[in-house]
Every structure is written in structure tokens, then in C-alpha cells.
Amino acid sequence: MKKTYLLLASALMLTFSACDTARQTQEAENQTPTTPSATAGPTPSGAVMSKGGLRVYAFDNSQKYPESQLRLNTPVAGGVVEPGPVQFSYSLSNFELTRMTPHSNSEHMANSHQGQHIHNIVDNEPYTAHYETEFTKEISEGEHVILSFLSRSYHESLKHKGAYDLRKITVGKPTQTLEFDESAPHMFYSRPKGEYVGPQETEKVMLDFYLVNTDLSTTGNKVRATINGTEFVLDRWMPYIMEGLPMGENKIKLELIDNNGNVLPGPFNTVERTFTLKSE
């Protein structure tokens, strides 16, 4: 009798084990597999352009913030302020400064350890990054164009309407006038900038620019990017990845052009910058 109970218990244990294995297998089959874009960083959106040893491609797989809004309260548009440290104050909604952008792109590109921030650009000079909605910034006497926009932690700009603020201000009593039509098409330079160190920062370098009053298309306006003398024509307003850049100083020239290749009028629609890559 005792042997019968032992045989019965063993049979039940085998049955439960088989059922549990089947259940776990079914659960594994029902799980959604991880997509490559969730782990591999920037994923090409469209064709990859290869030329002169470089690979350039657009990507559009970053965390989206469609409800985020930014507004510069001071200095006021068209206002007059004193030269020196100018006070900036913003209103911000549905966007968290200093937060690390939750996407694997942050692991595959240069990434600010201070998190998400505001890019503040004066007259298309290199931006300053700000992690609070109030700060002061030295501005010289003259008429100036101020562009502000929201940025992910890895410096990719938010490009939807409401994520930027553009205005012209007067500092002091300038003797010259800055010709700037706020309703015309304009391009502002953002990235790359400064120095990049180590494989994470140098293998994939982001090219990002900001457009106002225009978009890009195959039959309309475009951006001509000349990278170390090699020309690429960009027909979508997206961030781009550059691969194959050499260590040391690199040069980039951006031009906002029409469909015939002519540079559009505007004080900032042609810009040249240098940046440096270091292995360590």
C-alpha cells in the first residue's frame, strides 16, 4: 500500500512539473520581444548616405514629448535691457529639466550627466545649456536674436511648435541695426559642439540644427552639410548621426538652401564650426 502511495505521489509531481514547464513556455511565447531600437541606440530612419568614408543618416526613435511647452518671459520680445548680465526667465510645462532622457540613445551618444536642459542661443553663436528656468547671461551692447529650445539629455532638440521661443531684443544703445525678418526662413546651429572623448561619444556624433518658418523636403528647402569637405544634402528636419569621423579636429558647414541649391537670405543660414574627437 505504501508503495502505491509513493508511485501516485511521484506521478502527481511529474504532472505538476510538466504543467508548470508548459505554462512558463507559453508565457515566454506571449512576451513581446525587445525591438532593436530599444537597445541599439539611434536607428536609421530612411537611407544611409555613405561618402568619403563617412556614414550619415537621420534617426527618429527618441523619446517624444509632444505636450512640452517653453516660453521666454524675460527679456521681453522687442524689449531693451542693460548690457552685462541679462536675466532670463522661462515658463515651462510638461518637461522635466535635469531628468535623464529614458532612451538607449543616451548610452550611444554624448550625454549630459546633468540631464535634460534648455539650449539658449544668441545670434547663432554656440549655445549655452541651462538646467533651471532662471539664470543670467552676459550679453554685449547691440541688437540680438535669442533662440531658446528644449533639449533631451543627449542634446537632441525638441522640434514641435511650442518647444522653442524666438525673439529679438535690444541691449544698451546700439549704433547699428541688425537686419532680421522674424517671419522669414531661418536655420540655427546646435550640434556637434566642443570636444568628444571615448568610443561612446566619438563613434556616433549627432548633427542637429533648428529651423524656424520652414521645413525640408525633396522638392523644397534643404540643408547642405559639408563635413570635412564632403557634401551631404539633407531633406528632412531630423537629427542625424555621423559615423566614420577621424580623431582630432573636424569641420562642418551648414547652409539652408532652396531646391535649386541657392542659400536662402538670412544672417544665420550659413554657418561653419569645428569640433574635436579624442580617443581618451
Side-chain angles (χ1 to χ4, degrees):
M1 189 70 175
K2 185 176 181 180
K3 184 180 292 187
T4 302
Y5 283 134
L6 289 172
L7 289 173
L8 181 60
S10 298
L12 287 172
M13 288 180 67
L14 288 171
T15 301
F16 288 144
S17 177
C19 290
D20 188 58
T21 300
R23 177 182 58 80
Q24 293 179 39
T25 301
Q26 185 63 42
E27 287 178 352
E29 291 174 350
N30 291 337
Q31 289 178 355
T32 302
T34 302
T35 60
S37 63
T39 57
T43 302
S45 175
V48 176
M49 297 173 281
S50 297
K51 192 188 305 183
L54 301 174
R55 283 167 37 97
V56 176
Y57 56 87
F59 68 96
D60 191 34
N61 64 333
S62 294
Q63 177 80 19
K64 300 294 189 292
Y65 298 96
E67 303 302 320
S68 297
Q69 298 286 310
L70 178 72
R71 175 70 179 174
L72 179 58
N73 298 320
T74 56
V76 298
V80 179
V81 297
E82 292 297 315
V86 174
Q87 180 71 36
F88 284 83
S89 177
Y90 295 87
S91 294
L92 177 65
S93 60
N94 301 310
F95 191 78
E96 185 179 349
L97 298 177
T98 73
R99 182 192 187 200
M100 299 305 293
T101 305
H103 195 281
S104 67
N105 286 349
S106 63
E107 302 169 5
H108 295 266
M109 293 187 289
N111 186 48
S112 172
H113 297 299
Q114 295 175 268
Q116 298 177 156
H117 50 279
I118 298 169
H119 281 202
N120 178 286
I121 297 175
V122 179
D123 300 333
N124 208 25
E125 291 297 313
Y127 71 82
T128 51
H130 300 276
Y131 299 84
E132 297 180 349
T133 55
E134 294 188 2
F135 56 86
T136 59
K137 183 172 179 175
E138 289 283 335
I139 302 183
S140 61
E141 187 168 63
E143 293 186 339
H144 299 281
V145 174
I146 311 293
L147 173 69
S148 309
F149 56 82
L150 296 173
S151 170
R152 297 169 176 85
S153 63
Y154 41 89
H155 309 288
E156 181 194 339
S157 60
L158 272 61
K159 299 175 175 61
H160 63 270
K161 187 175 181 179
Y164 79 96
D165 184 287
L166 179 68
R167 61 186 59 192
K168 183 178 175 181
I169 66 169
T170 300
V171 180
K173 299 178 180 179
T175 57
Q176 294 182 330
T177 300
L178 173 64
E179 297 297 329
F180 184 78
D181 182 356
E182 293 188 36
S183 64
H186 296 288
M187 177 187 66
F188 295 83
Y189 184 100
S190 183
R191 300 282 291 186
K193 175 179 180 283
E195 189 173 273
Y196 296 72
V197 181
Q200 176 180 327
E201 297 188 359
T202 60
E203 290 180 359
K204 299 178 187 296
V205 177
M206 183 182 68
L207 166 63
D208 202 20
F209 48 85
Y210 217 88
L211 299 178
V212 178
N213 302 322
T214 187
D215 203 347
L216 307 182
S217 70
T218 56
T219 58
N221 293 341
K222 301 170 180 60
V223 168
R224 183 162 55 214
T226 305
I227 307 166
N228 293 334
T230 302
E231 183 180 299
F232 297 86
V233 176
L234 315 178
D235 58 18
R236 292 191 292 172
W237 186 22
M238 291 183 181
Y240 288 78
I241 289 293
M242 300 179 290
E243 296 179 344
L245 293 167
M247 293 296 113
E249 185 178 85
N250 290 264
K251 297 182 179 180
I252 186 166
K253 179 180 181 180
L254 297 183
E255 300 166 284
L256 180 61
I257 60 175
D258 63 21
N259 196 40
N260 296 317
N262 303 309
V263 178
L264 273 66
F268 312 128
N269 290 341
T270 298
V271 58
E272 296 184 57
R273 297 283 168 87
T274 61
F275 58 98
T276 303
L277 306 187
K278 293 184 177 181
S279 57
E280 289 297 341

